Every structure is written in C-alpha cells, then in structure tokens.
Amino acid sequence: MDRNALIFAVGTLAASALLLMRDPAFVDGLVVSTVAFSALWLLSLALRNASIVDVFWGLGFVVVGTYYLTALSTPPTARLWLVISLVTLWGLRLSIHIGMRNAGAGEDFRYRKWRDEAGADFWWVSFFKVFLMQAVVLWVVSSPVKLAQGGGAPSDWSVLDLVALTMWIIGFLFEVLSDWQLARFKKDPANAGQVMRSGLWSLSRHPNYFGEALLWWGIGMLAFPIGGWHSFLGPLLITFLLIKVSGVAMLDAALEERRIGYADYIRSTPSFLPLGSARRLWQRRTTSGM
C-alpha cells in the first residue's frame, strides 16, 4: 500500500468514527450501503465484471439518501429536500452516463489488473478491495445528506447557502460538459489514440473530477448550518480520493504510458484546478523574460 492509499484508509476510518460519535444512527446508513454493495458484488461474480461498481456509484448515493429520507422521525426540512434533490440529480446522471459509456466495453483496466494479480482469489478479494471499500467511502461522502436534517435549522436562507448552491451548479456543469466533450471527442475515429486538449480539457486534465469535488463541497456547505464541521468530512474524503488515489494519480500514470503526447499534456495543463489559461500565460511570460 502506497502512502496516499494509507492516508486515505486512515482518513476513512477516522471520518467513520467521527460520524458515529456525532450520531450513532449513522450506522444504519452504513448497513444500507454495505448490503447494496454486497448484492452488487454477487452480481459481479455472475457477470465476471467488477466494473458494474462504477455504474452503481452514483445510484448508491440515491439509495442511501432515500433511506435517510424515509427513516426520519420528523418531517423533512426544506434544506434536506434541496440536498437530496441535488444529490439525486447528480447520482442518476452519473450512473446513466457511466452505464452508457461502459456498455459493451468489458471490464475496466483497473479491475482487470487487480483480477490478474489476485488470480483465482479475485472473487473474494474483490469484495473487500472493490465493493466493501466503496460502500464505506460512499457512506462517508453521503454524510451531508443526513446532516442536513436536524433540530435548530435556520428558518431563512443565507448568503452562504447561495454560495453553496452556486458551487454545486458550477461543479455539476463542469462534470456534465466535460463528460459530453470527451464523449464527442472519442466518437470521432480521427481522434483515436489522441489526447483531448480542447474545451474544459484545455483548462484541466481532469475537469470532470474537479466538478465532482466542487459540487460535493457545495453539498457540504448546504448541510453546514445544521451539521457543523462534520458536513465537510465527505467533501474532504472525495476530494483526496479523486486527486491522490483512484482519480487523477491513477489515470495520469496509466495514460502517460498508453497515450502518445500525454506526457506533454501533463507538463502544459494543470491536473485538477481549471487554471490552464493562467498557466500558459505564466509560462509564456516566464519564457519571454528569459
């Protein structure tokens, strides 16, 4: 296990403990998430395809969020309805997108690599390494949904709520538009083996991951007036995951080996924050100054 994976594992355990200390009822959400991903694991064994976990990722948030909504002993607040609506819109869109993208494509290279490494043991290794791990991570990341409901909710919306909603909208648009732009790029046979460098992908190597992280920070800020600082445990975890573990770090390493020109793309374009234009301007000024 490398350093970032170790930090992520420790951070996940710490966040889990903090949530359970805040409200023991959080364990119910963990049970729902674990049961859902366990059923998905059984299906993956029948299909011999662990990639279905990626399709379920967004839908899993809808499942857990719906459970929190139906398990309430008090009427849902307007804040909770807003948070669940935003999470549901994001989750359904993401699952549909990944499902359409993966249709007929076979198992993702990450899971094929783990399957080859584990050999005959992959059937049970995948439960812990893929499905149970994602069940726990999803449960932590979805925690702002539960935290958005509680006593002492502010009666009026504030400037902070407007900022939070704006962050969610910007993040959602980044994710949707970058996915759409990349899908169009890949459909053109002339682009086979090429690196996507236009549109939002000229500003960041992973604008879709930036959008996903930003919208979760917006969700965390919407839950903050009720949930307090615990509302940011989920956004912190998903951001670290996307940048250091299974997102930017993993894909950059794989694409640098498989895609001609990707090394140059790494040098010229920021990995996460969409600051490509500012970076190129700075590089030109630095070069001209020399």
Side-chain angles (χ1 to χ4, degrees):
M1 180 180 291
D2 63 26
R3 185 183 66 174
N4 287 332
L6 179 61
I7 293 173
F8 179 73
V10 173
T12 302
L13 291 175
S16 301
L18 289 170
L19 289 174
L20 292 173
M21 290 171 62
R22 164 68 187 253
D23 185 354
F26 262 113
V27 73
D28 295 341
L30 178 58
V31 170
V32 170
S33 182
T34 301
V35 169
F37 276 90
S38 296
L40 195 68
W41 168 67
L42 293 175
L43 179 60
S44 77
L45 296 181
L47 298 176
R48 289 190 58 80
N49 187 348
S51 293
I52 61 174
V53 74
D54 295 335
V55 179
F56 183 75
W57 175 251
L59 185 59
F61 286 90
V62 180
V63 171
V64 174
T66 300
Y67 169 76
Y68 285 143
L69 182 65
T70 57
L72 292 175
S73 58
T74 56
T77 63
R79 186 175 298 273
L80 178 62
W81 276 119
L82 175 61
V83 168
I84 284 186
S85 297
L86 296 178
V87 170
T88 299
L89 176 60
W90 166 78
L92 291 178
R93 200 289 311 181
L94 183 62
S95 285
I96 292 171
H97 167 72
I98 295 179
M100 294 176 63
R101 185 192 68 186
N102 290 2
E107 194 169 49
D108 185 84
F109 76 92
R110 296 167 296 167
Y111 306 121
R112 289 200 307 269
K113 179 182 177 182
W114 291 345
R115 185 182 294 275
D116 292 340
E117 292 173 349
D121 293 329
F122 185 72
W123 72 273
W124 64 265
V125 170
S126 64
F127 175 72
F128 295 98
K129 191 172 185 177
V130 179
F131 293 88
L132 184 59
M133 183 274 290
Q134 291 204 33
V136 176
V137 172
L138 185 147
W139 168 66
V140 174
V141 175
S142 66
S143 58
V145 177
K146 188 176 190 309
L147 292 167
Q149 171 79 7
S155 57
D156 298 320
W157 299 97
S158 67
V159 174
L160 179 64
D161 296 319
L162 179 61
V163 172
L165 185 58
T166 302
M167 289 174 63
W168 186 91
I169 293 172
I170 294 173
F172 185 73
L173 289 176
F174 252 86
E175 189 169 6
V176 172
L177 290 176
S178 59
D179 283 343
W180 176 74
Q181 290 172 350
L182 184 60
R184 286 191 62 195
F185 179 82
K186 289 183 174 180
K187 282 184 179 180
D188 188 346
N191 295 327
Q194 302 299 311
V195 178
M196 173 69 168
R197 293 177 177 233
S198 59
L200 295 178
W201 299 85
S202 68
L203 304 178
S204 166
R205 298 200 302 274
H206 304 278
N208 52 338
Y209 291 154
F210 166 76
E212 183 165 340
L214 183 62
L215 68 85
W216 273 107
W217 280 100
I219 292 294
M221 288 181 64
L222 283 172
F224 175 74
I226 302 173
W229 65 268
H230 289 83
S231 303
F232 299 120
L233 292 174
L236 276 171
L237 190 66
I238 191 66
T239 302
F240 189 85
L241 174 68
L242 291 172
I243 297 176
K244 295 295 186 179
V245 185
S246 69
V248 173
M250 180 180 291
L251 280 179
D252 276 355
L255 291 175
E256 189 173 8
E257 294 181 359
R258 297 162 49 194
R259 195 74 45 95
I260 297 175
Y262 200 84
D264 178 65
Y265 185 47
I266 289 177
R267 289 190 293 270
S268 63
T269 309
S271 62
F272 190 71
L273 295 176
L275 301 173
S277 298
R279 181 170 177 173
R280 286 190 290 274
L281 178 61
W282 172 257
Q283 289 175 337
R284 285 199 296 269
R285 287 182 175 179
T286 303
T287 303
S288 62
M290 295 174 62

